[in-house]
Amino acid sequence: MESKYSILLSLLMLQCLSLLCVSQSQDFDFFYFVQQWPGSYCDTKQSCCYPNTGKPAADFGIHGLWPNYEDGSYPSNCDPSNSFNQAKISDLISNMQKNWPSLACPSSNSIQFWTHEWEKHGTCSESVLSQHGYFDTALSLKGKTNLLEALKSAGINPDGNSYSLVDIKNAINGAIGYTPWIECNVDASGNSQLYQIYLCVDNSGSDLIECPVFPKGKCGSEIEFPSF
């Protein structure tokens, strides 16, 4: 009888742990809002392919809105039952084609890119954002954070020249009021270049905040800002 009780207790504990894991997967501390410079995506050995709609504008494009924990880890693929559904964002498609284009090869309509972002990252925020709300929030954040204008106003232009990493951070902080994290990649010649800019957003998706933690990685003190 005692062994049956022990087994039942163990099963109940496993069930509780399982439920805890599910609830934790919906819980997160903040978002990274990540935008990428298309010129740097394309100026690599791998190169790029423009979407079916043509060459995107010479502006930062959205990469994603990623739930994160303050210890630097992050949840992913939180709800396999809530797959990407284009019909839920039909009113956003033209805006997304402009501001959230895929540059991966082969050329595409960017649906695969958006599917990946929703299913890997967006499902982990569904406790606060619906599928439509997730994409709409990211588009709204891009409108609030005009990175290219912030950099150009500080004399930092996508002209292939090198700029101080400190000056780039200061230009964005001065315009937006929050400290960015800069990710670099390397061009075909191995030079460090401005690739992605991370800003942090509270866990409601409403307001920019100072980042509780920055990703790992490092840029040089001088980095290229390639044209596109």
Side-chain angles (χ1 to χ4, degrees), residues 195-213:
Y195 174 42
Q196 297 197 128
I197 296 176
Y198 289 60
L199 293 164
C200 291
V201 182
D202 67 16
N203 62 5
S204 72
S206 304
D207 298 305
L208 291 167
I209 58 171
E210 283 294 340
C211 289
V213 61

Side-chain angles (χ1 to χ4, degrees), residues 152-175:
K152 284 184 171 180
S153 295
I156 299 168
N157 299 292
D159 52 12
N161 288 323
S162 291
Y163 295 92
S164 158
L165 179 62
V166 171
D167 288 346
I168 290 170
K169 288 180 178 178
N170 287 344
I172 294 167
N173 195 335

Side-chain angles (χ1 to χ4, degrees), residues 21-92:
C21 288
V22 170
S23 67
Q24 283 182 337
S25 72
Q26 300 303 313
D27 188 26
F28 59 98
D29 298 318
F30 69 99
F31 289 100
Y32 281 130
F33 177 53
V34 188
Q35 298 178 69
Q36 64 184 15
W37 179 246
S40 299
Y41 185 105
C42 293
D43 188 15
T44 61
K45 284 183 180 178
Q46 183 178 325
S47 191
C48 70
C49 293
Y50 300 152
N52 295 339
T53 47
K55 182 180 178 179
D59 191 10
F60 285 88
I62 298 170
H63 185 169
L65 184 63
W66 304 340
N68 258 259
Y69 299 124
E70 289 187 356
D71 66 1
S73 65
Y74 62 90
S76 64
N77 301 101
C78 294
D79 187 1
S81 69
N82 191 358
S83 56
F84 177 78
N85 183 345
Q86 187 179 342
K88 291 182 177 179
I89 59 162
S90 57
D91 61 314
L92 303 176

Side-chain angles (χ1 to χ4, degrees), residues 83-146:
S83 56
F84 177 78
N85 183 345
Q86 187 179 342
K88 291 182 177 179
I89 59 162
S90 57
D91 61 314
L92 303 176
I93 293 293
S94 61
N95 196 349
M96 288 173 64
Q97 287 173 336
K98 178 184 175 185
N99 292 295
W100 203 327
S102 171
L103 290 165
C105 293
S107 295
S108 72
N109 57 9
S110 301
I111 297 293
Q112 188 175 349
F113 184 24
W114 305 333
T115 299
H116 170 80
E117 291 303 310
W118 167 252
E119 294 181 356
K120 180 176 180 179
H121 301 287
T123 55
C124 300
S125 68
E126 62 186 14
S127 58
V128 291
L129 295 173
S130 66
Q131 193 167 150
H132 184 278
Y134 175 78
F135 290 103
D136 194 37
T137 294
L139 291 166
S140 175
L141 287 166
K142 184 179 186 300
K144 288 180 186 175
T145 58
N146 193 331

